[in-house]
Amino acid sequence: MYQSEMKEGFIKDYLRSRVVARTSLYSLFRKTEPFEDKIKKDCSQFNQNEALLMYTEFKAKSIYVLLNYNSILKAYCAWRNYYHKENVTESYKDITIELLKPCVPKESNKFLSREEIIEIEDQLYNWTDKAILECLWEGISGPSMIDLVNINKNMVDTEEKTLYFSDGRIVQLPDRLYEFLIKAFDESEYMCYGASLRVKKLIGIGNLYKERDNAHATDSNDKYFRWVYRKVQNFRDHVGIPGLTMKNIHISGMYYYLCQGLKETGLDLKSFLRSEDGENLAKKYGFHSDSYVDNLTHRFKDFV
């Protein structure tokens, strides 16, 4: 980080009075660093044009993400001024929604990138939430989200980092998802999102799906689907990205791996989808019909 000692001090103080993921603050300052290096000054000294240019280069998914960044940088400037008696920019105070609108790319709602998913996960309070988001990205959902909500500790081979489903399916877990699941299984409390922060006790240690200790609902596929739906809705409201839906997370994950496959093989879209790797990728994300090649070609042809 540019002027890292100063920013470390701000982060420490900022976290005392606010519930926010430490990693999200570090993530923001990692974003500002290239611009600070380029113009040889800390972001607390940026004028309005420099700040807006930086925000444009962030390629944020929504204006609400930029508003959140701006409020943090405004607090950072106030902190430097109050505690270190520095002359800092007033630019962040004067930045409005109207000024931020041109900073958001028009195509920002197509697909989420791997980096954006990580950044969103860094802003979530609970390991269970991070694991849900990562499962959707990795194509683990099932009809009515039943595969996701059924995940439990006994299904995971900790040596091989694999997930075993009762129907014989075996899923190799990426390191990030494996870490989230292991920590989520042992999570016994849940921090709620919103203006009034509350911590709720959870029932169901060892499972990804847990209920609050005062929740009662009849078991059904609809109940489990709505559990995931409400979680993602909470994430969306918390990070301010309207396009953050179960479907978009899922299809964005597939798009990411599809682009990787095309790059590694050098094949065109249809040829890759007809290959063994392409067929496995389609099945991983729930495309099992004989017409999956045509369906996926139609869906992705304008983006690869």
Side-chain angles (χ1 to χ4, degrees):
M1 290 187 297
Y2 195 88
Q3 296 189 2
S4 59
E5 288 186 12
M6 193 68 75
K7 289 187 172 74
E8 290 280 3
F10 165 72
I11 289 171
K12 183 178 179 181
D13 282 351
Y14 193 78
L15 290 172
R16 286 176 181 168
S17 58
R18 296 167 179 83
V19 178
V20 60
R22 179 184 298 270
T23 47
S24 67
L25 297 177
Y26 280 105
S27 175
L28 172 57
F29 287 127
R30 282 196 300 270
K31 286 177 177 292
T32 66
E33 185 176 11
F35 300 93
E36 294 168 315
D37 286 336
K38 185 177 180 179
I39 59 180
K40 305 301 180 187
K41 60 181 178 181
D42 188 78
C43 60
S44 62
Q45 304 297 324
F46 283 9
N47 61 41
Q48 188 177 99
N49 287 337
E50 290 166 339
L52 291 173
L53 178 61
M54 177 179 70
Y55 286 154
T56 300
E57 292 298 317
F58 282 178
K59 300 187 186 303
K61 282 290 175 183
S62 86
I63 198 167
Y64 303 102
V65 173
L66 293 182
L67 283 170
N68 181 51
Y69 289 161
N70 197 68
S71 68
I72 293 171
L73 293 179
K74 185 164 56 176
Y76 172 58
C77 291
W79 179 85
R80 289 189 71 138
N81 176 258
Y82 182 81
Y83 288 102
H84 297 276
K85 310 305 179 186
E86 294 184 0
N87 291 322
V88 294
T89 184
E90 297 286 322
S91 300
Y92 301 109
K93 289 183 180 179
D94 298 328
I95 290 177
T96 63
I97 255 189
E98 292 304 316
L99 288 172
L100 288 174
K101 281 180 180 178
C103 300
V104 179
K106 291 181 180 178
E107 69 279 7
S108 61
N109 289 327
K110 298 292 188 224
F111 300 108
L112 296 159
S113 69
R114 172 78 276 197
E115 292 76 16
E116 287 163 337
I117 288 291
I118 291 172
E119 187 172 310
I120 292 167
E121 289 168 350
D122 286 346
Q123 295 182 61
L124 301 180
Y125 301 152
N126 308 287
W127 292 111
T128 298
D129 298 338
K130 297 174 191 282
I132 290 169
L133 191 55
E134 196 69 10
C135 279
L136 292 171
W137 174 265
E138 291 293 335
I140 301 173
S141 55
S144 299
M145 297 292 149
I146 197 67
D147 287 348
L148 191 156
V149 298
N150 277 338
I151 294 173
N152 63 69
K153 204 168 189 174
N154 295 329
M155 295 169 62
V156 178
D157 183 324
T158 55
E159 291 186 5
E160 299 295 329
K161 294 184 179 179
T162 49
L163 182 65
Y164 290 84
F165 286 96
S166 58
D167 61 5
R169 283 175 296 142
I170 302 173
V171 176
Q172 187 66 46
L173 296 172
D175 290 343
R176 187 174 179 84
L177 177 53
Y178 173 80
E179 178 190 358
F180 287 168
L181 285 174
I182 295 302
K183 290 180 177 178
F185 292 147
D186 294 331
E187 201 162 49
S188 60
E189 293 181 334
Y190 188 86
M191 180 167 286
C192 302
Y193 300 94
S196 58
L197 295 170
R198 295 168 296 163
V199 175
K200 297 287 188 179
K201 293 288 185 182
L202 296 174
I203 298 172
I205 296 297
N207 303 305
L208 181 59
Y209 173 82
K210 299 183 184 75
E211 292 184 343
R212 297 176 188 177
D213 58 2
N214 60 348
H216 302 285
T218 305
D219 285 346
S220 68
N221 286 350
D222 183 63
K223 167 188 170 181
Y224 298 127
F225 176 85
R226 289 186 176 278
W227 181 75
V228 181
Y229 177 85
R230 285 194 298 270
K231 292 280 190 188
V232 175
Q233 190 176 47
N234 288 337
F235 308 162
R236 181 168 66 244
D237 294 341
H238 178 61
V239 301
I241 300 178
L244 189 68
T245 64
M246 293 185 293
K247 182 178 180 180
N248 196 33
I249 298 164
H250 184 267
I251 207 66
S252 294
M254 183 175 189
Y255 176 69
Y256 171 78
Y257 286 114
L258 178 61
C259 289
Q260 277 196 339
L262 294 173
K263 183 177 180 180
E264 290 169 2
T265 63
L267 296 172
D268 62 68
L269 179 57
K270 273 199 170 184
S271 298
F272 176 76
L273 290 172
R274 290 192 183 105
S275 71
E276 182 178 354
D277 287 344
E279 184 178 2
N280 289 337
L281 179 65
K283 287 179 179 177
K284 176 182 176 181
Y285 283 88
F287 293 89
H288 299 286
S289 71
D290 293 338
S291 57
Y292 80 89
V293 172
D294 290 336
N295 290 340
L296 292 175
T297 299
H298 178 74
R299 182 182 289 263
F300 292 114
K301 65 181 179 180
D302 293 330
F303 305 104
V304 297

